[in-house]
Amino acid sequence: MKIKLALLALAAAVSTFAQAENYPARPIRLIVPYAPAGSADIVARRIGDEWAKALGGTLYVENKAGAGGNIGVDAVAKAAPDGYTIGVQTVSLAINPSLFAKMPYNTLKDLAPIGMIATSQHVLVVNPAFPGKDTKELLAAVKAKPGKYTYGSAGPGSTFHMSAELFKDVTGADIAHIPYKGGGPALVDTMAGVVDMSFPVLSAVVPHVNGGKLRAIGVTGPKRSPLLPNVPTLQESGATGYSFETWFIAFAPAGTPQPILDKLNAALNKALNSPQLKDKLVKDGFDPIPSTPAQAQGRLSQELVSWGKLIKDRGITAD
């Protein structure tokens, strides 16, 4: 019996090795759990060609939107673990398990991280008529009239929403949340003065800030952005201890053979280190962050805990 089990294990190992050696033998489906033209879609399409080239195969993007990204992620979780269906998701992968009462998949059990891709900052922007011209003045105005001022978001649980709630948690500011069905309408209404402020992704606001339609109070990350070099971080300008970046992660179904995950990771990192791709990502407002699968798993695990605490403490739900 022991010999038989050993032979079976050897046969399985040989089969896995052969599968990895021949991988990819057909096109790879890269699922983006949001509609086209959003930040996750832009990242996926930017990296797709270079990633496929590094793998020596073909890769195509499929958008599968809905339920805050859960529908697309679940499609990857339930796909065959053979490396031919993979996904890209944002920090929402760490946020959604605490945000939604019921989840169709278990983030840690049903998914296998391939690696981190990039980070992107958001920007606290206000309508030009808003009285505060920097973080300290904004906080003074808000604290003088609690609940009077409003911020627009791309909907409950969106990175627009969570970056603002983290800001409120760190600063003690009382700003009313006005959810929209997407970041575009929230940004338009910020420019129109329907809402006082919002926290959109960096790439979406640069032309409006430069054109004078919005005033940038500060970027949300730990350092200034080359796209808005004169705009300070919120932390350096008055929101002590505040830092938020959305991140993008590539993942596969749990059970995907380790040699295939390693091959996907090596090709992804090769693509991210390509000067051409790096330049394109930076111009779009993204900072590439190559990693190992273990590093990606560590960041995901850590942020599942930290976002879970914030969501629980502030009573945030997907409704």
Side-chain angles (χ1 to χ4, degrees):
M1 179 60 73
K2 287 182 180 178
I3 293 172
K4 187 176 180 181
L5 289 173
L7 288 171
L8 286 171
L10 179 62
V14 169
S15 173
T16 298
F17 178 77
Q19 186 182 2
E21 278 289 293
N22 296 327
Y23 176 83
R26 63 179 192 270
I28 299 165
R29 178 172 63 148
L30 178 60
I31 291 180
V32 174
Y34 301 103
S39 57
D41 184 68
I42 291 168
V43 166
R45 293 180 190 278
R46 277 281 186 240
I47 67 171
D49 288 344
E50 288 291 332
W51 196 1
K53 191 190 303 180
L55 275 168
T58 40
L59 183 152
Y60 65 95
V61 174
E62 179 180 321
N63 297 88
K64 213 170 184 64
N70 285 340
I71 290 174
V73 174
D74 188 48
V76 178
K78 291 181 169 55
D82 54 11
Y84 290 101
T85 298
I86 58 178
V88 165
Q89 174 59 309
T90 68
V91 65
S92 294
L93 198 62
I95 291 170
N96 286 357
S98 297
L99 191 69
F100 288 84
K102 295 182 81 173
M103 290 286 287
Y105 59 88
N106 183 301
T107 306
L108 294 178
K109 290 182 180 178
D110 297 336
L111 304 173
I114 294 167
M116 303 303 296
I117 301 170
T119 60
S120 180
Q121 301 205 56
H122 285 235
V123 188
L124 170 51
V125 292
V126 297
N127 180 276
F130 187 84
K133 291 183 172 57
D134 57 31
T135 306
K136 288 180 181 177
E137 288 183 6
L138 180 144
L139 289 173
V142 166
K143 289 180 179 181
K145 297 179 179 178
K148 169 181 166 38
Y149 295 105
T150 57
Y151 79 89
S153 84
S158 64
T159 52
F160 282 54
H161 180 204
M162 301 311 295
S163 56
E165 289 300 314
L166 182 61
F167 180 77
K168 288 165 62 176
D169 191 65
V170 169
T171 63
D174 183 358
I175 312 167
H177 176 211
I178 309 297
Y180 286 79
K181 291 182 177 179
L187 197 56
V188 168
D189 272 9
T190 307
M191 288 187 279
V194 177
V195 292
D196 299 298
M197 64 192 80
S198 59
F199 287 72
V201 70
L202 174 66
S203 57
V205 301
V206 172
H208 304 303
V209 170
N210 290 338
K213 294 180 180 178
L214 290 168
R215 182 189 306 137
I217 298 294
V219 295
T220 62
K223 61 183 181 181
R224 295 192 183 201
S225 167
L227 298 185
L228 291 172
N230 296 322
V231 177
T233 69
L234 290 173
Q235 184 165 205
E236 75 177 282
S237 59
T240 305
Y242 176 82
S243 183
F244 174 85
E245 290 179 302
T246 190
W247 44 256
F248 302 85
I249 188 172
F251 58 95
T256 301
Q258 192 61 46
I260 289 179
L261 289 175
D262 291 341
K263 201 166 187 177
L264 282 163
N265 174 262
L268 175 61
N269 288 343
K270 184 178 179 180
L272 292 174
N273 283 312
S274 153
Q276 273 188 318
L277 180 58
K278 284 173 77 171
D279 185 58
K280 287 176 183 176
L281 287 171
V282 169
K283 284 179 179 176
D284 284 337
F286 305 103
D287 290 320
I289 48 167
S291 77
T292 65
Q295 288 168 333
Q297 181 72 61
R299 182 160 189 173
L300 176 59
S301 299
Q302 181 183 356
E303 295 205 20
L304 278 163
V305 174
S306 59
W307 282 113
K309 183 179 185 307
L310 179 76
I311 289 164
K312 182 180 179 182
D313 289 349
R314 299 196 65 82
I316 302 167
T317 69
D319 300 324

